[in-house]
Amino acid sequence: MQERMLTWTTVAADVTSGLEAVDFVELKRGHVGAARGVGLARTTLDNPAAVLLARFATRRPLAVVDVRLESPDDVEILLGYVVEPAWRAGCRLVVHADRPLRAHRLDDFVQPEFGYAYALERLRHRALEAWGATGPAPDPGPPRPGRSLDARQLEAVGSGDGVVQVIAPAGSGKTTVLIERVRELLRRGCAPGEILCLTFNAAAAAELRDRLRAAGVAGVEARTFHSLGHEILRDAGLLRERVGSLTLNEWRRLVFQARRQAGEDAEWIDTADAPKLISDCKLGLLLTDAEVNKRWKAGSDQQRTLAALYPLYEARLAERRWRDFDDLVFLAVRVLREDEGRRARWQERFTRVLVDEFQDIEPAQELMVRIVAAPQDSLLTVGDEDQTLYAWRRASVERIVALDQAFPALQRVALETNYRCPPEVVARSAQLIAVNARRFPKAIRAAPDHTGTEADVGISEHAGADAGARWSAERLRGNARGTIVVLARTTRLLRAVAEHCADIGVRISAPEAVFRENRARRVVGAWMRLLAEPREADAADVEEVVRHPPRGLVLEAPERIAQRLRDGAGWSAAVEGLAATERDRDRVRELIGVVARIEGQRHDAVAVVRQLRAGGLDRHLGQQERAFGGTEQVEIETLDDLEREARGRTVRQFATELTRRRAALADIRDDTHGIELATVHGAKGREWPVVLLFGCDAEQLPHRRSLDVEEEAIRRGEGMEAERRIAYVALTRAKERLQIVTTAGKESPFLLEAGLREPPPPPPRPRPRAPWAPRQPASAVRQRSPGIATSTAGPEWLERYRNEPSLVRLQLQRLHRVGARYAVDDAPTRPVALRLAALIVRDGLMVHSSTGARLTVLELMNSIDNMADTDALATLKHVGVEPDQLVRELSDDAGRRLADALLRLAAAARGGSQSRERRGS
């Protein structure tokens, strides 16, 4: 009689004799501890548990002794590091435990994120399979794909039947691998109805279904996460009559009701941001309205408003018998977590699960995948950590890099060949993304038969962003849709190109936000129209100006104010008696004060814009950016644009010009035949023969605001690494030619990292000098030579800073690579940023590049954490330095004075931080 693949025993003496034995506690301390400590900065593609997996691959019988399952984590370890890999490798295993497996109650091992004993159910399933087996599973033999595959693609298609992770760089044929894997599963005997293919959106699912049909595969499900959730809810009887969304006016009324319920001190939630906050509750936190209300009813000002808003929103959906789009995933996950019978039915229905674009999924979708794929855990994921872009939608590099922490026995295969792009594009993009630390180190090479030259990548420099936008628009003339695209980091940049397309009559297709003015444009445009023609006041314009910033007016206020203005009343009389609460009267007085300051300046639109900004618009929109900062929250940049555009115009002229531009953009819109303009996020997964990457400038790519993230987010791969991934995706959309459009003197540092710009030559070694040696007279202005070396010049120049704090030295080392502004901006603390800026202006530590050559003192100071314009200007005035003075042209005396001031600020900031720490302790 053959021995079973798994023996679970409470008596070790006879069963484990003669076998190699491993103590479970030692296993946890050794192999498991090491595997779990690898983090996200990987140095190899190997599984962290590779040593243990190699032991099982020998198929020598093994005994694991003294197993005590006291927590869900113990179960996860036994299953993931022992039972699962032994079963997949065909290694006979003996488990010596303190209790029989069936004696462990499911209720004692519930995992909160799953809502049930996820790991224990999977362990029981795998144990039952192993108990019934007397030998390893038969070898299915080499795969027989329906088309020619390269070696890595063939390895992915023919991989084992457990969890398989396919790392698929841009253009590497991931969809081909997915389809051939389905064919391979069918060849191995899996029924078509048991295979589920999941992808991100309806267009991708439709394309996958078409390609499956073209490959002769019938009966295999290709769905989106939302369509799967739709069916789960329908099966559970929880699907309402339709999936719908509220209008902006309905959201506005709900927000007013919520704030009224939450109390006067509760924070106003902007109408446009309310849907995202509710979505975060559902898909990020997986909380119902009742759970949020219970958790946050006594929380912060915003949390209290949200705790009131969420139940009001759900009640409105229920009145109409609607579900929203997020419910299709959120409630489906809740059903799978809470209903054991339905969970089992869906798990039995799909025994093989394949997921495309795995790096894009969010927490709720990941839970759905893992629950449906359980307990068999026959799961194949295809994705690329280097293309993780949607952090604002809760996607994370961690989800793909750390998948081996959830499934320690997974098999990882990395595709290597980019079949899409010319060799030069492949080389430059690979060099760029290799700078990131939180990723897998992997080879990325061009297809061997893909011809090309260095001319396939070009850089077009322009004197300003407007000139670059005009040039880009001209390049689109005479081209057909699908042959060329303009990509940019934000829709604000795309709009600049679109406006020039309107001037020359090029028809375009672009994101809705290009044609629909963003909040800053809406507010400024509304003010201009109301000032130019108050007797033609429109309620929608009034709504914009009294809600941004919010003035605490009652819901009906915009219509009443508009009518009073049309009747000839002034603003003071128009807003009289419309404050929502006693506390809001001060806000109304502020509004009247703003109007008083700008009404006499109708002849100068620039002055009006500046007064609006100083009167609270910058502060309000800046807070909105920080609180709800998606990739399109660039309101302050838009205000800068509007201030430039208003030059030389009266209020009436500017109002007319803004209206003309909006109409001109609408006239050239052609979503069927127009040349495409797309954000990099919107272009992901697509390709064009020619790509124009517009706005590849410092502070745009990488975007300045995206670098302002917490240290914890940086550890998760956000900040600079996230921006580098965006640039990588942009470069790899080009099939034939990539043209980069940049502003001279403001080039993105990514061009240097990609090898598209030559690194600066090593500067002459500076003469040794005591830190505060006598300097030249103040009148002696000098052109400073670069004060630091590149990495090829060695670390000698750092010796003079050996007494500086370690964090300051670390940022000094980065100067040659990222430049002064980014080194200061990326400093981990405010004191470090201030001290680093002091050293830069004192010692002339400027990298010799066109960007560094044009860096002004004010721009450098604006890079310091929490340094407001007013503070920076006051400091510069105190030390007698002009804001637009170039850093490299500062005299020794001016550099010393400014450095002294910055060092004093650094000491004060450091002292304040220590004081806070003492109070906290």
Side-chain angles (χ1 to χ4, degrees):
M1 179 178 176
Q2 287 185 304
E3 294 184 273
R4 291 175 174 173
M5 294 301 296
L6 172 64
T7 300
W8 187 290
T9 179
T10 58
V11 182
D14 298 328
V15 184
T16 61
S17 62
L19 297 182
E20 179 184 350
V22 176
D23 182 84
F24 187 58
V25 174
E26 291 302 318
L27 180 75
K28 289 195 291 184
R29 290 174 181 166
H31 289 294
V32 176
R36 287 182 166 183
V38 294
L40 300 182
R42 300 298 179 91
T43 59
T44 174
L45 275 162
D46 292 342
N47 193 312
V51 174
L52 192 58
L53 299 181
R55 164 61 184 82
F56 288 120
T58 66
R59 294 193 177 183
R60 300 194 313 272
L62 180 70
V64 179
V65 300
D66 293 332
V67 173
R68 292 177 180 271
L69 302 182
E70 297 175 339
S71 68
D73 191 54
D74 287 338
V75 180
E76 291 275 15
I77 290 172
L78 182 64
L79 172 63
Y81 289 90
V82 179
V83 176
E84 181 74 13
W87 167 249
R88 297 299 182 191
C91 173
R92 189 165 72 84
L93 178 69
V94 175
V95 175
H96 166 236
D98 63 332
R99 287 186 287 169
L101 182 55
R102 63 180 177 275
H104 294 87
R105 297 174 60 252
L106 292 172
D107 289 347
D108 294 335
F109 291 86
V110 173
Q111 294 170 257
E113 66 271 35
F114 292 94
Y116 72 100
Y118 169 73
L120 187 54
E121 280 194 3
R122 293 159 58 228
L123 177 60
R124 285 182 172 183
H125 172 85
R126 185 63 67 230
L128 283 172
E129 277 192 310
W131 281 332
T134 57
D139 185 353
R144 295 194 290 273
R147 55 176 296 174
S148 176
L149 302 177
D150 66 35
R152 290 295 188 181
Q153 291 173 330
L154 197 62
E155 181 183 354
V157 169
S159 54
D161 197 31
V163 177
V164 180
Q165 182 181 43
V166 180
I167 306 299
S172 59
K174 65 181 180 60
T175 306
T176 296
V177 167
L178 203 67
I179 291 168
E180 292 301 327
R181 175 66 172 181
V182 170
R183 289 167 54 91
E184 175 64 14
L185 291 175
L186 295 174
R187 185 185 72 83
R188 295 180 185 180
C190 187
E194 294 179 358
I195 300 174
L196 171 64
C197 295
L198 283 172
T199 191
F200 210 72
N201 56 49
E207 179 187 356
L208 185 56
R209 283 192 290 270
D210 290 343
R211 292 186 61 172
L212 285 168
R213 281 194 293 269
V217 177
V220 173
E221 301 270 10
R223 301 167 176 257
T224 65
F225 294 98
H226 290 88
S227 66
L228 175 61
H230 187 280
E231 190 169 345
I232 291 172
L233 292 186
R234 186 173 60 189
D235 174 64
L238 296 176
L239 192 65
R240 292 174 179 164
E241 291 178 359
R242 58 164 289 193
V243 177
S245 58
L246 302 186
T247 65
L248 193 63
N249 281 333
E250 289 173 314
W251 275 109
R252 184 179 295 117
R253 291 185 177 277
L254 289 181
V255 168
F256 266 94
Q257 286 180 257
R259 190 189 177 213
R260 194 177 298 125
Q261 285 186 16
E264 285 191 16
D265 292 335
E267 183 177 318
W268 169 264
I269 292 176
D270 195 270
T271 304
D273 299 312
K276 181 182 183 300
L277 292 173
I278 299 296
S279 182
D280 287 341
C281 290
K282 291 185 175 185
L283 298 182
L285 301 175
L286 291 167
L287 296 176
T288 65
D289 56 325
E291 291 165 342
V292 165
N293 187 268
K294 180 179 179 180
R295 178 181 294 192
W296 287 344
K297 196 170 185 178
S300 68
D301 292 349
Q302 186 191 82
Q303 287 174 340
R304 294 203 314 278
T305 307
L306 186 57
L309 175 63
Y310 192 177
L312 289 170
Y313 171 66
E314 289 299 302
R316 183 61 56 88
L317 291 180
E319 286 173 12
R320 299 186 175 184
R321 295 196 55 76
W322 286 3
R323 295 290 186 197
D324 68 17
F325 202 54
D326 290 342
D327 283 337
L328 298 182
V329 173
F330 167 57
L331 293 179
V333 170
R334 301 280 297 206
V335 167
L336 294 173
R337 288 169 56 174
E338 297 165 9
D339 190 325
E340 182 180 353
R342 285 196 167 84
R343 177 171 69 244
R345 286 205 299 275
W346 284 100
Q347 290 172 339
E348 290 168 3
R349 176 171 174 179
F350 297 119
T351 61
R352 304 291 187 276
V353 179
L354 301 87
V355 185
D356 194 12
E357 302 286 9
F358 193 77
Q359 76 280 346
D360 291 338
I361 69 175
E362 55 189 330
Q365 293 166 334
E366 182 184 18
L367 279 177
M368 177 185 281
V369 167
R370 290 176 62 178
I371 292 172
V372 172
Q376 300 90 351
D377 288 347
S378 183
L379 170 67
L380 180 134
T381 71
V382 182
D384 181 15
E385 79 282 6
D386 291 335
Q387 298 182 71
T388 305
L389 304 189
Y390 302 118
W392 53 274
R393 205 169 58 195
R394 297 166 292 272
S396 171
V397 166
E398 188 174 10
R399 196 156 288 119
I400 191 165
V401 174
L403 189 64
D404 50 33
Q405 302 299 300
F407 301 104
L410 68 74
Q411 179 181 353
R412 180 178 294 122
V413 181
L415 309 183
E416 295 181 347
T417 305
N418 180 330
Y419 292 96
R420 174 191 299 152
C421 304
E424 184 67 9
V425 173
V426 176
R428 298 302 117 227
S429 60
Q431 180 174 330
L432 171 67
I433 201 61
V435 177
N436 275 4
R438 293 152 188 90
R439 65 187 295 265
F440 293 118
K442 53 185 181 286
I444 304 175
R445 55 178 60 91
D449 58 347
H450 203 315
T451 58
T453 67
E454 290 187 5
D456 292 332
V457 179
I459 298 177
S460 178
E461 289 188 8
H462 299 273
D466 188 65
R470 186 184 312 112
W471 183 88
S472 299
E474 290 284 354
R475 301 284 77 71
L476 303 183
R477 283 185 189 267
N479 286 286
R481 180 185 176 93
T483 62
I484 190 170
V485 69
V486 176
L487 299 184
R489 175 67 174 82
T490 63
T491 53
R492 168 186 164 267
L493 293 174
L494 292 179
R495 185 182 175 95
V497 177
E499 288 181 347
H500 284 290
C501 287
D503 291 341
I504 62 177
V506 173
R507 303 189 68 78
I508 62 170
S509 171
E512 183 65 33
V514 170
F515 304 100
R516 186 188 69 244
E517 295 175 320
N518 69 352
R519 188 172 298 153
R521 283 191 176 275
R522 291 198 305 270
V523 175
V524 172
W527 270 115
M528 295 298 159
R529 289 186 291 273
L530 290 171
L531 290 169
E533 297 289 351
R535 285 185 173 271
E536 296 179 11
D538 182 83
D541 284 343
V542 176
E543 174 86 20
E544 292 292 347
V545 304
V546 301
R547 303 300 183 210
H548 303 289
R551 303 296 181 179
L553 300 177
V554 297
L555 180 61
E556 301 78 12
E559 185 55 58
R560 292 187 193 176
I561 294 171
Q563 185 60 56
R564 291 174 183 179
L565 291 174
R566 290 195 294 268
D567 292 341
W571 272 88
S572 181
V575 299
E576 185 179 0
L578 295 179
T581 67
E582 183 70 26
R583 174 174 172 262
D584 292 325
R585 289 184 181 177
D586 287 341
R587 299 186 186 184
V588 174
R589 282 192 285 270
E590 287 178 5
L591 172 62
I592 294 171
V594 170
V595 176
R597 288 192 294 274
I598 64 178
E599 278 193 319
Q601 297 179 324
R602 290 185 174 91
H603 63 286
D604 187 353
V606 170
V608 172
V609 174
R610 289 174 178 168
Q611 286 288 351
L612 291 174
R613 299 184 70 171
L617 195 54
D618 264 28
R619 182 178 65 252
H620 169 67
L621 294 182
Q623 289 171 345
Q624 297 290 309
E625 281 192 358
R626 290 189 292 273
F628 308 105
T631 56
E632 290 303 317
Q633 293 287 341
V634 288
E635 308 294 348
I636 301 301
E637 290 180 4
T638 302
L639 289 174
D640 293 338
D641 292 343
L642 288 164
E643 193 170 323
R644 287 191 295 271
E645 294 165 14
R647 289 173 184 163
R649 292 187 169 98
T650 67
V651 165
R652 185 182 299 276
Q653 289 170 339
F654 194 35
T656 301
E657 174 63 13
L658 292 175
T659 301
R660 183 198 69 78
R661 290 184 186 181
R662 187 169 62 245
L665 286 175
D667 287 343
I668 63 166
R669 184 172 186 173
D670 184 349
D671 292 336
T672 304
H673 303 293
I675 300 293
E676 289 178 275
L677 278 58
T679 63
V680 181
H681 288 84
K684 187 170 171 296
R686 303 189 61 198
E687 58 187 35
W688 291 266
V690 178
V691 169
L692 296 182
L693 177 56
F694 172 68
C696 193
D697 297 346
E699 297 201 351
Q700 293 301 323
L701 189 63
H703 196 277
R704 60 172 180 81
R705 196 176 48 74
S706 295
L707 302 182
D708 184 18
V709 294
E710 300 291 336
E711 187 65 32
E712 177 57 32
I714 293 174
R715 284 195 290 269
R716 295 197 309 269
E718 298 309 313
M720 183 66 87
E721 291 206 359
E723 293 295 294
R724 196 172 285 112
R725 292 194 296 270
I726 291 171
Y728 170 75
V729 168
L731 301 186
T732 54
R733 300 308 95 193
K735 295 172 64 179
E736 296 174 7
R737 177 166 176 76
L738 170 68
Q739 186 70 40
I740 296 170
V741 184
T742 185
T743 303
K746 295 184 178 179
E747 300 92 338
S748 168
F750 293 154
L751 298 182
L752 176 62
E753 293 179 351
L756 292 167
R757 285 285 193 237
E758 290 296 323
R765 185 175 177 179
R767 296 191 307 273
R769 182 178 64 181
W772 296 107
R775 292 171 170 265
Q776 301 174 31
S779 58
V781 176
R782 62 188 176 88
Q783 296 288 327
R784 294 185 169 204
S785 61
I788 66 169
T790 64
S791 57
T792 59
E796 295 89 352
W797 68 273
L798 273 174
E799 279 301 303
R800 64 188 296 197
Y801 301 107
R802 61 182 177 275
N803 294 326
E804 290 289 335
S806 59
L807 290 176
V808 174
R809 292 200 308 275
L810 180 64
Q811 292 303 104
L812 284 169
Q813 291 177 41
R814 301 186 63 212
L815 272 173
H816 75 277
R817 184 164 60 87
V818 300
R821 172 184 285 182
Y822 286 101
V824 172
D825 185 63
D826 196 36
T829 67
R830 178 176 169 81
V832 169
L834 286 161
R835 190 163 188 87
L836 181 64
L839 298 178
I840 289 170
V841 299
R842 187 193 73 185
D843 298 341
L845 302 183
M846 299 298 297
V847 174
H848 184 67
S849 69
S850 53
T851 303
R854 296 169 185 267
L855 183 65
T856 68
V857 176
L858 181 59
E859 288 172 336
L860 177 66
M861 294 184 70
N862 281 341
S863 301
I864 298 170
D865 184 37
N866 292 326
M867 174 71 78
D869 262 359
T870 52
D871 296 335
L873 292 171
T875 301
L876 294 174
K877 183 177 180 181
H878 177 72
V879 300
V881 174
E882 291 297 323
D884 58 356
Q885 174 78 52
L886 297 180
V887 176
R888 69 187 182 91
E889 293 181 355
L890 282 173
S891 69
D892 283 349
D893 190 51
R896 178 185 56 75
R897 293 196 308 271
L898 181 54
D900 283 346
L902 291 171
L903 288 169
R904 285 194 294 270
L905 290 172
R910 187 167 58 252
S913 175
Q914 292 169 348
S915 176
R916 287 191 296 273
E917 289 175 6
R918 286 194 295 271
R919 288 198 301 269
S921 62

